[in-house]
Amino acid sequence: MKTTFLVAFLSVWVSSAAFAQDDLLKLAEASDSAKNEKVSATFKATRLINGHTVETNGAGTLLFLISHRFGTLNSGAYNFWGLDQSTIRLALEYGVTNRFTIGVGRSSLEKTFDGYLKYKALQQAVGGSPVTITAFASTALKTMDWPENEANYEFAHRLTYSYQLLVARKFTERLSLQLAPTMVHRNLVETGGGETNVYALGAGGRFKLTKRTSFNAEYFYLLPGDVADTYKNSLSMGFDIETGGHVFQLMFTNSQGMIEKFFIPKNVGGWNTGDIYFGFNISRVFNLGKEKREW
């Protein structure tokens, strides 16, 4: 009798211990899963204002971007404070994978075509990486006709290359900040235009105001050199408004150009002199595939 009771007791104890061990393993797995959970939506769009963010398009996602900058506010009533003038850029961006995006665009300024590659090398995660890091490289091609006295320039002189390392952290549901060390290489520099290689440090952030709106700001500081002595640092502020598949961005900026070639090494506008451009970005997303490819 005692033996039977002891066997039964041991059986119950072993079963309970096994269940307890399973529960502990599940809790440990859940804890590990929570620790490795990736932080998403650091920014609402692939652009902060003029510059890129760490965000890439999802695999199979096509984004159509319309960017528009009016004239300067100090152009006066005759030009309706800049609204009679405009510079535009149209672009397409495609997510090859969740981490890798390619894009092409065309700006009316200097009739410039541009293409870029963007790869998210590291994703912020709870208990993992404290930041998201994305590498960015672009090429810009000026297609505007050369002046007659400069017609002997070669095709290579039309090219400008830009390289960035975008580093961002989402501190809270409301606040995200980003740094963007940048180099712009110009194959041709106009007389008095400064160095061939221009270095800058970009900084920006997003503060979420409501579920669908946020305040954004970005600043690109030119490192000391001839370019910094001649041109102005780019400063931009604006708002993101999310409406379904669209992100509508309204901004004020002292930069007319909307790609790195223009707003980093060739920016002439100054906030203190009223050279402020009002503009907007509109992005529309189209899902062309459901497969979640990641590498």
Side-chain angles (χ1 to χ4, degrees), residues 251-264:
M251 75 282 295
F252 290 94
T253 175
N254 64 335
S255 304
Q256 183 183 23
M258 292 157 275
I259 58 175
E260 291 71 21
K261 167 189 173 176
F262 295 120
F263 68 78
I264 293 178

Side-chain angles (χ1 to χ4, degrees), residues 58-61 94-98 287-295:
T61 298
Y94 180 73
V96 180
T97 71
N98 290 335
N287 292 318
L288 304 183
K290 297 181 179 180
E291 184 181 358
K292 294 185 177 179
R293 293 161 294 188
E294 182 143 6
W295 45 263

Side-chain angles (χ1 to χ4, degrees), residues 219-268:
Y219 181 71
F220 281 86
Y221 172 73
L222 290 165
L223 272 62
D226 291 340
V227 170
D229 294 338
T230 305
Y231 294 94
K232 306 289 182 65
N233 296 327
S234 175
L235 172 63
S236 309
M237 292 178 283
F239 296 90
D240 279 6
I241 304 171
E242 183 186 6
T243 57
H246 296 76
V247 176
F248 190 43
Q249 298 177 300
L250 300 171
M251 75 282 295
F252 290 94
T253 175
N254 64 335
S255 304
Q256 183 183 23
M258 292 157 275
I259 58 175
E260 291 71 21
K261 167 189 173 176
F262 295 120
F263 68 78
I264 293 178
K266 296 181 65 175
N267 185 44
V268 297

Side-chain angles (χ1 to χ4, degrees), residues 95-113:
V96 180
T97 71
N98 290 335
R99 292 176 176 265
F100 181 50
T101 294
I102 60 175
V104 293
R106 201 270 186 181
S107 300
S108 60
L109 193 60
E110 295 187 357
K111 303 183 185 301
T112 302
F113 289 88

Side-chain angles (χ1 to χ4, degrees), residues 44-80:
K44 188 55 69 174
T46 58
R47 297 295 192 288
L48 191 52
I49 294 179
N50 291 317
H52 282 259
T53 68
V54 292
E55 301 298 338
T56 53
N57 296 331
T61 298
L62 178 68
L63 184 144
F64 178 48
L65 178 65
I66 302 173
S67 300
H68 195 116
R69 304 292 182 269
F70 294 99
T72 57
L73 297 181
N74 64 4
S75 59
Y78 182 74
N79 290 312
F80 204 49

Side-chain angles (χ1 to χ4, degrees), residues 21 29 38 45 98 118 151 155 170 173 178 266 284:
Q21 186 176 13
E29 289 174 358
K38 293 181 179 179
N98 290 335
K118 195 173 180 182
F155 175 81
K170 186 175 184 179
E173 283 300 315
Q178 176 177 279
K266 296 181 65 175
R284 180 67 171 95

Side-chain angles (χ1 to χ4, degrees), residues 152-170:
N152 59 337
Y153 283 134
E154 299 176 3
F155 175 81
H157 293 139
R158 296 181 176 276
L159 298 173
T160 300
Y161 306 95
S162 301
Y163 307 95
Q164 287 184 327
L165 193 64
L166 306 165
V167 183
R169 177 173 172 80
K170 186 175 184 179

